[in-house]
């Protein structure tokens, strides 16, 4: 099989076989196919697309290019993936809920990059908590508590790392089959039988329109079906940040209060929707999938799972019992309403960028971050505000405070008319 023939086949609109895609990907990872040939092939894919079968074969080849986690000793393994957003602390609430529902979450999570946050950074706000666990303790904890969460220590889907870097410099990132295979290859390699995807749509997300979000969700659900996993997706709004808090420690605080049955309505709604989708995928009835997630929030069992999980990974559980122990940046500055009216828009991207300039996020991999800084929104879209009233609070340690102030000010728009209500959940794909 000659690589120029494969490039030509795709260039001319042909369809690859499983063997062709496997050869291309595995030989590329082994260093036998140079970047320039793969770059030409990526551009051909960009213009000619891929069928559902091709996308699945590509995904499987990428998943199998490195370690495949073996979770077969665990029962009811479930995983959740968000395509990334601002203030998205859903995993911190949802994963203990799923454990309390009797499912097993043995999950690898990422760190934040650019304006989107990462679960590992958020959890590292809890003193002592470590994202590092060897294989045996990882499986044991997942079996006993139902929840173990580690950083990306394994060599999962190395083909994706190589392809992503090449896509980045060849203008082939925004190509649906390539995005779908990139996300799903890592999820398949991570081993869970059931995968629930939160596909974010809007200015703070990777997919800017509902139509694009739906196509991506359909492609990923399809890959899951064709590769023998239970995959469902929920399309959710990411025009505005989720909840009130953005920033690592602040988000942990908001997650704890949501697990106590308090917390912001939108975060609670999303966690209930994702838990329901997971239970439906696991074969529960519609009635149970609706009822049981509410129960584990109400009876404290989800919060108890978070406490046990934190303690088991070295974290100090007193912080879960008494969140006032958390260190939040002591200096604050408030953004005030420039006019009376209604909060009409809160631009997620700008809030994410404000966190970045405060030092709470990273521009490049490996940078240290300040967990204590962040932005607290004091209002949601549709709230009436008076001129001069505080509408957001910035917690800072001096770094970037002026730039963050400008960004938060720009992110918040006030109109004279009350805006139409926007739903959070935009669709379901199964
Ligand atoms: N996230 C990924 O993991 N891969 C992409 O290609 C896009 C978003």
């Amino acid at each position: 099989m000659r690589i120029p023939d494969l490039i030509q086949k795709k260039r001319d609109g042909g369809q690859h076989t499983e063997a062709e895609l496997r050869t291309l990907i595995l030989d590329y990872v082994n260093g036998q196919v140079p970047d320039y040939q793969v770059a030409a092939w990526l551009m051909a894919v960009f213009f000619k697309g891929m069928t559902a079968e091709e996308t699945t074969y590509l995904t499987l080849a990428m998943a199998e290019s490195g370690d495949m986690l073996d979770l077969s000793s665990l029962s009811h393994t479930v995983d959740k993936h968000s395509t990334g957003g601002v203030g998205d602390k859903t995993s911190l609430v949802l994963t203990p809920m799923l454990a309390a529902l009797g499912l097993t979450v043995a999950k690898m999570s990422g760190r934040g990059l650019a304006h989107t946050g990462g679960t590992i950074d958020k959890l590292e706000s809890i003193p002592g908590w470590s994202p590092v666990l060897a294989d045996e303790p990882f499986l044991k904890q997942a079996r006993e508590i139902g929840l173990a969460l580690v950083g990306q220590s394994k060599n999962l889907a190395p083909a994706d790392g190589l392809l992503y870097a090449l896509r980045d410099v060849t203008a082939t990132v925004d190509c649906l089959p390539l995005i779908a295979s990139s996300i799903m290859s890592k999820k398949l390699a991570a081993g869970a039988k059931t995968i629930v995807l939160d596909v974010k749509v809007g200015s703070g997300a990777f997919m800017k329109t509902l139509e694009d979000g739906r196509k991506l969700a359909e492609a990923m659900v399809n890959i899951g079906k064709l590769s023998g996993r239970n995959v469902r997706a929920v399309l959710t709004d990411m025009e505005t940040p989720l909840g009130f808090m953005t920033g690592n420690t602040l988000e942990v605080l908001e997650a704890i209060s949501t697990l106590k049955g308090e917390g912001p309505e939108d975060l609670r709604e999303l966690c209930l929707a994702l838990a329901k989708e997971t239970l439906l995928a696991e074969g529960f009835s519609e009635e149970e999938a609706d009822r049981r997630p509410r129960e584990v929030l109400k009876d404290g069992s989800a919060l108890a799972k978070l406490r046990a999980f934190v303690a088991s990974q070295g974290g100090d559980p007193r912080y879960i019992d008494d969140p006032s122990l958390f260190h939040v940046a002591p200096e604050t500055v408030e953004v005030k309403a420039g006019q009376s009216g209604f909060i009409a828009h809160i631009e997620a991207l700008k809030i994410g960028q404000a966190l970045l300039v405060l030092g709470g996020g990273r521009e490049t991999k490996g940078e240290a971050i300040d967990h204590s800084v962040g932005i607290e929104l004091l209002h949601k879209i549709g709230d009436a505000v008076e001129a001069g009233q505080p509408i957001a609070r910035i917690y800072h340690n001096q770094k970037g405070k002026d730039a963050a102030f400008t960004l938060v000010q720009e992110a918040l728009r006030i109109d004279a008319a009350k805006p139409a209500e926007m739903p959070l959940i935009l669709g379901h794909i199964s």
Side-chain angles (χ1 to χ4, degrees), residues 164 167 179 182-183 186 206:
Y164 196 89
R167 285 165 59 205
I179 298 173
S182 164
I183 294 173
K186 288 171 282 197
F206 206 62

Side-chain angles (χ1 to χ4, degrees), residues 27-138:
D27 286 357
Y28 178 47
V29 172
N30 292 335
Q32 287 160 259
V33 180
D35 277 351
Y36 55 80
Q37 286 185 317
V38 178
W41 176 80
L42 287 169
M43 191 55 85
V45 171
F46 183 90
F47 283 113
K48 298 293 177 178
M50 284 185 134
T51 64
E53 284 75 26
E54 283 179 295
T55 310
T56 301
Y57 294 144
L58 172 65
T59 309
L60 285 170
M62 287 165 69
E64 288 162 19
S65 65
D67 299 334
M68 298 284 282
L69 289 196
D70 180 7
L71 302 183
S72 59
S73 63
L74 303 172
S75 59
H76 299 290
T77 48
V78 297
D79 198 354
K80 171 258 175 185
H81 179 78
S82 157
T83 55
V86 177
D88 184 5
K89 66 284 289 176
T90 313
S91 289
L92 301 179
V93 181
L94 179 68
T95 56
M97 285 172 74
L98 297 176
L101 288 163
L103 306 174
T104 310
V105 186
K107 181 172 167 55
M108 292 215 166
S109 282
R111 293 184 182 278
L113 193 58
H115 70 280
T116 61
T119 302
I120 297 293
D121 290 329
K122 294 173 205 205
L123 284 165
E124 280 180 342
S125 307
I126 304 169
W129 185 85
S130 165
V132 182
L133 273 182
D135 291 0
E136 265 317 303
F138 173 71

